[in-house]
Each structure stands twice: as C-alpha cells, then as structure tokens.
Amino acid sequence: MQNFQILGSGCANCKKLTQNVATAAEQLGIPYTIEKVTDIEAIARSGVMKTPALLVNGDLKLYGRVPGIEELKKILVS
Amino acid sequence: MESIEKTTNSLPIATNKPCECVADCAANLSLPKEHQTSRTFRFFSLLAVAIAVWWFIYRQLEAIANWLVFTMLRLDAHTAFGSASQFFLYETPKVLMLLTLVVFGVGILRSFFTPERTRRVLEGKREITGNALAALLGVVTPFCSCSAVPLFIGFVTSGVPLGVTFSFLISAPMINEVALVLLFGLFGWHIAVIYAGMGLIIAFLSGWMIGRFKMEKHVEPWVYATPVKATSVAKIQGWPERFHSGAEAVREIVGKVWLFVIFGIAVGAGIHGYVPEHFLAHIMGKGAWWSVPVAILVGVPMYANAAGMIPIVQALLGKGAALGTVLAFMMSVIALSFPETIILRKVLRPRLIATFVGVVSTGILIVGFLFNWLM
C-alpha cells in the first residue's frame, strides 16, 4: 500500500495534481491511499516553498509543478 | 515550411529513444553524454527555426489585419467600426504571439532560479544589498500567490531578514512577464520599462522600511519555531528539460490568460473606435491630483491578475487619464489585495499586515504623483 500526500492550500494546481496522481496509480495498478494536506503549518514543516507537492510514504518526490500522468508514473515507480 | 515539419516529426523519436531506461528517464541520469548533447543541439535548432517563423509571421500581422479589414471586408478606416476592427484583428494575434514568446523565454530563465537558490542568495544578507537583490530576484524566481505563505516561512526561518523577504514578496507578483508583455505590446516599451523600474523601487524601499521598523515580533510565533528543512528533490537540469519548462509555462500561463487578453483587446478596440478622446481627462487627468489616492483606495482591495487589468488600463489611458494615476491603479490592484491579506494573516499579526499595506500603498502613491508631475 502506497501512501500519497498532496501538499497545497487547495488551489487549482493541487486538485489537478491529486487527480493526476490517482490516475497514474490506477494505470499502474498500485494500491494506494491519497491524503490532501492543506494545513499551512504542516506544509511549512515539510520544507516545501512552492506548492503543490507530492510525498510518497513520507518522502518528498516533487513540488512546485504538476507533471503529466506519464511522468508521474515514472516518479511513482522509482 | 517543409523543414519545420521535418524537425517536429523527428522530435517524438528523439524523446522516446532514451526511454529504454524506465525509472531514470525523467531525470536523464543514465543517458550517455553524447546523446544528451545531440538532443540539446536538436532542441536549439528547432528553437531557431521556430523563432524565425515567429518573426516572419509577426512582421506580417499589421498588413494581414489591414488587408482583411480594408480590402476583404471593405471597411472604411475612418469609421468607428473600421478602426475598431482593424485594432482588434491586429492587436490580438500580436499580443498573443508576444506573450507566447516571452512566457517561453521566462520559463527557461526561471529554470535557473528556484526558490531554494534564491533563498540561499538572500540568507543573512544585510539590508540595502539584501533588499535590492530580493526585489530583483522576485522578478525571475517562479512564484505563485498561493505559495506566498510557505515561501515566507521558508525564507524567514532560514535567516533571510524580514524586510528582505518583504522586498521579494512585493516584487514577485507586481513585476511579472504577463504585465510587462501587455504593457509593451499595447503601450510601447517605455511604459513597460517605467512600470518595471517603479515596481523595483517600491519593492526595494517598502521592504527596507519594514525591516527598519523591526517588526519580527508581529510575525506569528509558530513561524519562527518551524524547523528549517532543506527540500531536495533530485532534479538534473539540462537544456532539454529547460525547454520543457518553457513549453510548460506557455501551456499553463498562456492557456490561462488568453481569454482575458482577447476580451481586454476587444474592450480596448471598442474604446479605440467609439469613446471620444479626452473623455476622462477632466476627472482622471493630470489636473486632478486627488485621482491618484482615489485610484489606490479603489485598487488595493481589488484582486485581479495582470491580464485582467489591461482592458481597464487601456480604457483609462486611451481616454485621457494621466499615466501616473493609471500605473498607480494597476500596481495597487496587482500588488495588494484583500484575499492576499487574509492568506498572510496566517503568518502575520494585524499590525504587520497594516504596515505592509500602508508602506506599499504609500510607495505607489508617491510613484503616481511623481509621474503625473514629471510627464
């Protein structure tokens, strides 16, 4: 089970990233849970200065942009 | 035209090839070096061709618009409808083409400036130098107002002085490529340069003053208690990736503002053709000194992006409003807004927010007066 966290205060990009991550995981057939972190303190503690960001099992994988589904698949596999 | 098709056709092959390595493909980590350089070379030649084509089309725009309106549709250049149509058909493709090129260029430029790198430059910098650098870096560092708070925390916890952080936060939204392109495209380079120059000065001085006021205690205490954590995502940036970020910026920014731009130019065209010149001269002209503070009072709570502002700016300027008044209005709308102060309230106490709004509006007020007086 993979745990994905999307960090961001709820702007359009965060929603897009959440969607893309879910689609990528489904296409790869990975079981996952997805959690949106909107609390500004929690975002700040992760050290991210540009939202949205993606954490996989607590590890920061990307921030500041919304990659396409193909690129996300590679990120999720690595 | 043939050669362009060929190059674009070869592009997917070039990008697909290295994907034999599945995981590292995105970062190009295990690519042989020659492959990387040949890809870079291909991107650069493609870019050169694209810019040549761009330039060729750009040069023809006015002739095409004239031909369409005056020859094809047989409209009279002296009628309101004729001149409005010509204005619309010429300005729309012109501004959209300029915007695409500049956003692409800025996207590439910004791939050199991450928030982390900017923070490292500003850490522990003294006032004055720090404020000046922060104002300049605010222009080129990628920034989105929804990230203002995490960025603020990231800066102040790692030792960037409060005033320097503010210089950055003021210049980043105010001076952006969309605003500059639109000002350049519609009003000429001198207005774009004046706007950028004044924006930098306001960011520099306001940040410096906030620093002088020593207002650290008006930052919410939990902010300074946040542990500093350096973010690190392995990202190797080669030219192909930079081109990619340029293209992504175009998709994202131009994709978002094109409708505003067309609408804005349509409004501008209507005014161009129909509303009499000097219509606003007596209420917003140079003579009416109070128009500057009124413009700022109206502009500060408003929130709009630069693209949305342009039709208004165009309408005002075209009809005799004074330049200083109009620039002051545009700056106060873009740099300060009611929603932004609500977001900042999470990290700043009311006194500091009030100081921030007060100092920046005063700066804008001075710029407005100065311009109306000088020009």
Side-chain angles (χ1 to χ4, degrees):
Chain A
M1 187 65 102
Q2 302 276 334
N3 175 27
F4 302 139
Q5 286 171 304
I6 311 285
L7 275 54
S9 46
C11 50
N13 277 339
C14 317
K15 286 176 196 139
K16 184 93 190 294
L17 182 64
T18 313
Q19 248 171 33
N20 285 4
V21 168
T23 315
E26 265 150 37
Q27 286 182 12
L28 289 167
I30 305 176
Y32 68 93
T33 54
I34 203 158
E35 180 195 346
K36 280 192 188 182
V37 180
T38 51
D39 177 47
I40 214 88
E41 269 191 76
I43 296 173
R45 264 197 308 276
S46 75
V48 166
M49 285 201 284
K50 200 164 174 256
T51 54
L54 168 68
L55 270 66
V56 177
N57 301 327
D59 288 336
L60 184 64
K61 289 293 179 183
L62 77 97
Y63 63 92
R65 64 199 184 95
V66 182
I69 290 164
E70 290 309 309
E71 195 190 335
L72 274 172
K73 279 189 193 169
K74 284 166 200 149
I75 293 170
L76 297 186
V77 167
S78 64
Chain B
M1 285 310 255
E2 224 171 73
S3 67
I4 310 158
E5 261 170 37
K6 260 183 214 152
T7 16
T8 32
N9 278 344
S10 68
L11 192 62
I13 306 165
T15 40
N16 281 341
K17 242 185 219 162
C19 286
E20 289 149 1
C21 50
V22 183
D24 289 338
C25 183
N28 273 326
L29 288 173
S30 56
L31 278 185
K33 205 158 189 178
E34 317 89 75
H35 195 109
Q36 177 87 312
T37 19
S38 85
R39 240 179 110 203
T40 304
F41 180 73
R42 206 168 317 183
F43 271 104
F44 267 108
S45 19
L46 189 67
L47 182 67
V49 175
I51 289 180
V53 173
W54 184 96
W55 181 242
F56 179 76
I57 300 175
Y58 187 80
R59 292 293 298 268
Q60 313 298 321
L61 288 178
E62 188 160 19
I64 295 172
N66 286 343
W67 180 80
L68 267 176
V69 175
F70 304 131
T71 314
M72 275 290 284
L73 300 171
R74 293 164 189 262
L75 294 174
D76 186 349
H78 301 294
T79 62
F81 186 67
S83 81
S85 311
Q86 193 272 349
F87 182 87
F88 182 75
L89 286 177
Y90 171 46
E91 294 295 333
T92 309
K94 179 182 124 185
V95 169
L96 287 177
M97 280 182 80
L98 266 175
L99 198 61
T100 306
L101 184 72
V102 173
V103 167
F104 181 74
V106 171
I108 290 180
L109 181 71
R110 287 200 169 150
S111 67
F112 291 91
F113 295 89
T114 60
E116 287 71 33
R117 193 177 278 186
T118 296
R119 176 168 75 174
R120 231 171 302 139
V121 172
L122 297 177
E123 266 167 28
K125 275 275 166 353
R126 304 262 308 261
E127 286 170 339
I128 310 279
T129 330
N131 292 111
L133 270 173
L136 286 169
L137 286 168
V139 181
V140 288
T141 310
F143 175 81
C144 142
S145 55
C146 48
S147 305
V149 167
L151 193 121
F152 176 87
I153 298 169
F155 273 34
V156 294
T157 52
S158 73
V160 178
L162 189 63
V164 174
T165 305
F166 268 106
S167 281
F168 181 89
L169 281 179
I170 295 164
S171 102
M174 188 154 63
I175 311 166
N176 67 62
E177 68 275 25
V178 177
L180 292 180
V181 166
L182 292 168
L183 289 174
F184 168 75
L186 297 169
F187 312 114
W189 64 269
H190 45 283
I191 292 195
V193 169
I194 287 169
Y195 180 85
M198 289 299 127
L200 283 175
I201 291 172
I202 290 174
F204 168 75
L205 285 179
S206 306
W208 178 73
M209 285 189 62
I210 291 171
R212 291 272 88 190
F213 292 153
K214 305 246 178 281
M215 299 196 75
E216 280 75 5
K217 58 179 179 299
H218 295 286
V219 173
E220 291 291 344
W222 66 267
V223 169
Y224 281 106
T226 309
V228 192
K229 195 169 164 188
T231 43
S232 59
V233 173
K235 204 170 22 170
I236 291 189
Q237 284 270 29
W239 276 103
E241 285 72 39
R242 295 194 195 286
F243 282 120
H244 183 74
S245 13
E248 223 170 66
V250 169
R251 201 164 45 88
E252 197 175 301
I253 298 175
V254 179
K256 206 159 51 188
V257 305
W258 68 272
L259 207 63
F260 284 101
V261 173
I262 292 180
F263 177 72
I265 295 170
V267 171
I271 290 161
H272 191 79
Y274 292 97
V275 183
E277 223 138 299
H278 310 304
F279 177 68
L280 289 170
H282 63 289
I283 39 169
M284 285 184 81
K286 269 194 216 177
W289 66 268
W290 45 267
S291 67
V292 182
V294 170
I296 294 170
L297 279 181
V298 173
V300 166
M302 276 173 67
Y303 172 74
N305 60 15
M309 277 307 294
I310 291 300
I312 303 171
V313 169
Q314 182 148 34
L316 297 175
L317 269 188
K319 295 307 150 193
L323 182 62
T325 310
V326 175
L327 285 185
F329 182 61
M330 178 166 171
M331 283 177 168
S332 58
V333 172
I334 300 181
L336 296 168
S337 75
F338 187 63
E340 195 198 6
T341 53
I342 297 210
I343 296 174
L344 285 175
R345 177 65 192 90
K346 288 179 180 156
V347 283
L348 307 180
R349 295 221 164 129
R351 269 244 332 251
L352 183 45
I353 294 184
T355 312
F356 166 62
V357 174
V359 167
V360 176
S361 335
T362 312
I364 297 173
L365 187 71
I366 296 171
V367 165
F369 278 136
L370 204 63
F371 262 88
N372 285 351
W373 179 64
L374 282 176
M375 302 189 71

